[in-house]
Structure formats: structure tokens, C-alpha cells
């Protein structure tokens, strides 16, 4: 890898800033001064210093993003903002070019997206054979009947070859719109094309946390429809042991701690 790219990826500055540092003659590779930005460095075996400071190379990076609605879980998109655009907004443009979202959320789904360049961990989290739990908070239209809940939890026909795997439905509440958070109220009202000031008198909604062990296409929305309702708001709150940090506003992200990464690795097999 080029030395300037390497130092920029290790957060020593923008590509232009690290070029200046390199040209100033303070960078050494294995004890030899490296004054050209294009000098090649082997990130795994070379010993790099900037002045007295050893540059330590981390092979993998891990960020959790609280994805807002309207943003796509892709690395590139010609129309919509991507999760990578948001990562850059949070931590700067000098991110490694191998980071990707480990699993997708629909454009209108909010919540936890893990951004990493660790393909092995991503595979462990997403592999259908490992059944790593994904937990969602959802608000559905009307009341989901006891029979609907039973089907959701025991396995429901969503038009695939097999029923869904058993899921857990927790904290089930039937509520009015006023009992939901203000942001969620606005999202729900916008789907009825109503003025935000209009009330939803007499209307009820079902909120719950649904814990799945698989990740089929539009799975939560299709499960809710098969149970006779419609998802109006959806947010992923957990993947395996990793909970969405409540301190993150939509669009914000933070790096995972070493402990969070270790726990994810352990529980994902
Ligand atoms: N299930 C869905 O229907 N959509 C998502 O974004 C995630 C799970």
C-alpha cells in the first residue's frame, strides 16, 4: 500500500496532510527515512514511525451507525445517501475503501447497521446457518390478534418455501398514537398523508420487539402482513450481542469497543 494512503487510513490526516508530513522527512519505514508519499509499505510487517510515534496498524475497523430513514444500506448510490456517506460525515473522508455494511436495512428502516471491513465477522453474523439474533422494534397498524402473535412466534407463512423460524415477540403493547415517541408519530402520520396536527383519535397501534434468527428479504414487514397488519415504523435495535447505542441520534455513528467486537465474535461462533 502507498505510504500516504496508509497514514491517511490510520487517521493521521487527509491525503494532502499526510503527504506534507511525509515530505517533511519525519516518517521512517524500518528505520529508513521515507520522504515520498508513493513509497510502498507492507502494513502487516513494516515498522513505521512518525517522529517518535510508532504507527500501529489495525487490520479491521468496526462502527455502529444509527441509520436514519431515507438512507440506503449500500456503499454507492446515485440517488440516495448511503451508510458510507454518513460514516464519512461522522469520521471524515479518509475512511478505508473496503468498509461495507454487514447486512442491509430497507430504506425506510432505521437503526443499527454494523460497518466493517471484517468479512469473516460479517459472514458469521449473517449466515443463515448460524441463526444470530436480530432484534427489531416495530409499530404496526391496528391490533395484532393473539392468533397473529402466535403465528409470528411459532412460524408464519410469508410466501416462501418454508415458514419463518420461531421468533420472540416481547413488550407487546396496544397503544394510541400519543403514547408513541414524537418522531415515530410524525413518521406514522406522514404515511397517512395527513397534516401533522391532525389527531388519530380512536386509532390504535401495536408496538413490540421482534427477535428473529434469520434475515429474509423484508422479513419483518412480510411477517406483520401475514399476521394481518402493516408495519408503520421499524428500527433494528440489536444484532447478536450488539445493542444500538441509545446515545446515537439517527445519522450518528461510533466505533465499537474491543470488548464489543470480542463478544460479537464469541456469540456469532
Ligand atoms: N425486515 C424488514 O422488513 N425490513 C428491514 O429493513 C429489516 C428487516
Amino acid at each position: 500500500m502507498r505510504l500516504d494512503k496508509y497514514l491517511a487510513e490510520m487517521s493521521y490526516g487527509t491525503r494532502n496532510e499526510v503527504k506534507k508530513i511525509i515530505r517533511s522527512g519525519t516518517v521512517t519505514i524500518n528505520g529508513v527515512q521515507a520522504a515520498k508519499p508513493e513509497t510502498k509499505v507492507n502494513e502487516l510487517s513494516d515498522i513505521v514511525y512518525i517522529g517518535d510515534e510508532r504507527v500501529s496498524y489495525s487490520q479491521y475497523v468496526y462502527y455502529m451507525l444509527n441509520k436514519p430513514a431515507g438512507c440506503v444500506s449500500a456503499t454507492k448510490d446515485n440517488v440516495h445517501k448511503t451508510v458510507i456517506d454518513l460514516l464519512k460525515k461522522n469520521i471524515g473522508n479518509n475512511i478505508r475503501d473496503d468498509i461495507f455494511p454487514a447486512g442491509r436495512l430497507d430504506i425506510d428502516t432505521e437503526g443499527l447497521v454494523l460497518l466493517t471491513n471484517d468479512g469473516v465477522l460479517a459472514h458469521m453474523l449473517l449466515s443463515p446457518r448460524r441463526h444470530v439474533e436480530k432484534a427489531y422494534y416495530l409499530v404496526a397498524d391496528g391490533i395484532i390478534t393473539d392468533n397473529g402473535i402466535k403465528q409470528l412466534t411459532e412460524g408464519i407463512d410469508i410466501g416462501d418455501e418454508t415458514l419463518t423460524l420461531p421468533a420472540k415477540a416481547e413488550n407487546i403493547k396496544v397503544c394510541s398514537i400519543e403514547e408513541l415517541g414524537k418522531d415515530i408519530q410524525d413518521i406514522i402520520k406522514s404515511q397517512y398523508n395527513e397534516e401533522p396536527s391532525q389527531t388519530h383519535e380512536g386509532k390504535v397501534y401495536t408496538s413490540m420487539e421482534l427477535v428473529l434468527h434469520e434475515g429474509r428479504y423484508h422479513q419483518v414487514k412480510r411477517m406483520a402482513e401475514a399476521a394481518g397488519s402493516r408495519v408503520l415504523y421499524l428500527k433494528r435495535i440489536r444484532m447478536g450481542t450488539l445493542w444500538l447505542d441509545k446515545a446515537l441520534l439517527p445519522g450518528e455513528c461510533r466505533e465499537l469497543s474491543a470488548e464489543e467486537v470480542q463478544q460479537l465474535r464469541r456469540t456469532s461462533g
Side-chain angles (χ1 to χ4, degrees), residues 104-106 109 136 216-222 234:
R104 284 168 181 263
L105 292 179
D106 297 336
T109 302
Y136 296 88
R216 303 190 199 180
Y217 182 64
H218 293 329
Q219 183 163 349
V220 175
K221 291 174 186 165
R222 289 161 72 206
L234 184 59

Side-chain angles (χ1 to χ4, degrees), residues 23-187:
R23 291 202 178 102
S24 76
T26 52
V27 181
T28 60
I29 301 176
N30 303 323
V32 178
Q33 192 190 57
K36 287 188 184 157
E38 61 274 22
T39 306
K40 288 282 189 280
V41 59
N42 182 329
E43 62 273 18
L44 297 178
S45 59
D46 286 340
I47 296 172
V48 181
Y49 273 86
I50 300 180
D52 295 338
E53 188 183 340
R54 169 100 186 249
V55 177
S56 62
Y57 180 71
S58 48
Q59 192 175 4
Y60 297 121
V61 289
Y62 307 87
Y63 299 95
M64 71 159 78
L65 169 74
N66 184 359
K67 184 184 106 53
C71 150
V72 290
S73 305
T75 51
K76 282 195 186 96
D77 192 277
N78 290 333
V79 180
H80 298 103
K81 212 180 279 170
T82 69
V83 287
I84 297 294
D85 294 332
L86 287 178
L87 180 64
K88 286 183 179 166
K89 202 169 158 208
N90 277 267
I91 66 163
N93 282 326
N94 289 311
I95 62 165
R96 302 155 80 122
D97 52 17
D98 54 358
I99 300 175
F100 60 91
R104 284 168 181 263
L105 292 179
D106 297 336
I107 189 164
D108 56 348
T109 302
E110 298 184 355
L112 176 61
V113 173
L114 174 66
L115 294 164
T116 183
N117 58 347
D118 183 344
V120 174
L121 182 67
H123 177 75
M124 292 197 303
L125 287 171
L126 303 174
S127 163
R129 275 182 290 123
R130 292 190 194 258
H131 305 304
V132 174
E133 288 187 345
K134 320 278 177 330
Y136 296 88
Y137 169 78
L138 68 94
V139 179
D141 204 8
I143 295 174
I144 301 185
T145 60
D146 288 348
N147 184 45
I149 300 283
K150 187 166 179 279
Q151 289 184 71
L152 288 179
T153 54
E154 290 180 356
I156 190 163
D157 182 358
I158 58 171
D160 290 346
E161 275 175 17
T162 55
L163 298 186
T164 57
L165 290 177
K168 281 182 265 177
E170 296 166 343
N171 291 323
I172 304 167
K173 289 183 192 134
V174 175
C175 58
S176 67
I177 197 149
E178 288 80 17
E179 290 169 85
L180 298 165
K182 176 79 179 68
D183 295 351
I184 300 178
Q185 291 186 24
D186 290 346
I187 289 169

